[in-house]
Amino acid sequence: MTEGTTSVAQLSGKWRTVARVLTEVFQPPVVVTVLLLISPVIEPGFPGTIWFGVLAAVFVCLLPLAYVLVMVRLGRITDHHVSDRRQRPALLLTTLVSVLAGLLLLQVLHAPLSVSVMILALIGGIAVLAVVSAFWKMSGHASALAGTTVIAILMFGPAWLPLLLLVPAVGWSRLVLRAHTVAQVVIGSLSGGVIIAGLWWLLREYLL
C-alpha cells in the first residue's frame, strides 16, 4: 500500500470515528430525554417541575432502551440502534405501551400539561416511524433530532436556530456509517420537524 493510500485510509477512519461519536451522542433516547426534561419550561413552576420530565423520560426513553439492550444481549435484536428494519415495528409498539403507561401515571400525579403535550407529540412520531418501518428504514436519529431542535427553537426563540445545524451533521453521520440512504435521512428529518414539532405546537396552542 502506498503512502498516499495510507493517508486516505487514515482520513476515512477519522471521519468514521467522528460519525460514530455524533451517532451515539445524538441518538434518539438521548435527545428525547433532553426534550422531556425541558418540556415543563413553558408553564409556571419550572425548574421545580423538571422531575415530571424525568419521570416521563423513564417511560419514554430509559425503559425502552433497557428493553433493547436486553434483547441485544439475548441475540434477538442486532444492535442498540436496531439497524435491522424488520425488528423495528414490534419494538416501537412495545415502546408505545411503555409511553402510554407513563402518560397515564403522569395524569394520576397531576403533572404539568406541557409534559403530556410533549409525550402526545412523541407518540405521533413513534407511530409514524412504526408504520414506515414496516416497509422502509426511515432514520429515527434524524426524526428525533429534527423534532427536538425545531421544538427547542419554538420554545426559546430564533436565537436557538443554530441548533438546526445538528440535523445535517447527524444525518451525515448516518450516511458515513452506511446506516441509511440520503432519502431515509431526509424523510426522517421532515417527519420529526413537521409531524413531531407540528403536533407539539398544535397541542400547545389548543391545550395550554
Side-chain angles (χ1 to χ4, degrees):
M1 183 179 291
T2 65
E3 182 179 348
T5 303
T6 302
S7 298
V8 170
Q10 290 174 342
L11 182 61
S12 175
K14 289 177 181 178
W15 283 121
R16 285 185 65 83
T17 298
V18 172
R20 287 193 190 97
V21 170
L22 286 171
T23 282
E24 295 301 330
V25 171
F26 296 102
Q27 61 180 292
V30 175
V31 297
V32 172
T33 293
V34 173
L35 190 60
L36 289 165
L37 292 179
I38 64 172
S39 61
V41 76
I42 58 176
E43 288 188 87
F46 189 86
T49 54
I50 195 172
W51 78 273
F52 287 107
V54 173
L55 183 60
V58 169
F59 284 88
V60 177
C61 302
L62 299 185
L63 290 179
L65 179 59
Y67 174 77
V68 168
L69 294 177
V70 169
M71 290 297 103
V72 170
R73 190 170 182 83
L74 293 175
R76 297 179 184 176
I77 292 179
T78 53
D79 58 88
H80 68 289
H81 293 305
V82 197
S83 299
D84 188 339
R85 171 188 61 78
R86 295 167 298 180
Q87 297 169 350
R88 291 187 171 189
L91 170 63
L92 290 167
L93 288 175
T94 301
T95 299
L96 277 175
V97 172
S98 178
V99 172
L100 290 172
L103 184 61
L104 178 61
L105 178 59
L106 288 166
Q107 295 300 309
V108 171
L109 295 175
H110 304 291
L113 189 56
S114 53
V115 180
S116 297
V117 163
M118 189 69 75
I119 291 176
L120 289 170
L122 290 168
I123 287 174
I126 294 170
V128 169
L129 187 60
V131 171
V132 174
S133 293
F135 58 88
W136 200 53
K137 191 183 173 185
M138 187 174 76
S139 175
H141 277 73
S143 178
L145 185 59
T148 298
T149 54
V150 172
I151 289 173
I153 292 165
L154 291 172
M155 277 184 172
F156 302 116
W160 292 75
L161 279 169
L163 282 178
L164 288 175
L165 295 174
L166 291 173
V167 179
V170 174
W172 166 84
S173 78
R174 304 306 286 152
L175 296 177
V176 170
L177 297 175
R178 298 183 179 180
H180 292 286
T181 64
V182 173
Q184 290 166 349
V185 169
V186 170
I187 297 301
S189 300
L190 290 174
S191 173
V194 175
I195 295 175
I196 297 176
L199 279 173
W200 176 83
W201 184 82
L202 287 172
L203 291 168
R204 182 195 65 175
E205 290 296 308
Y206 285 101
L207 297 179
L208 294 177

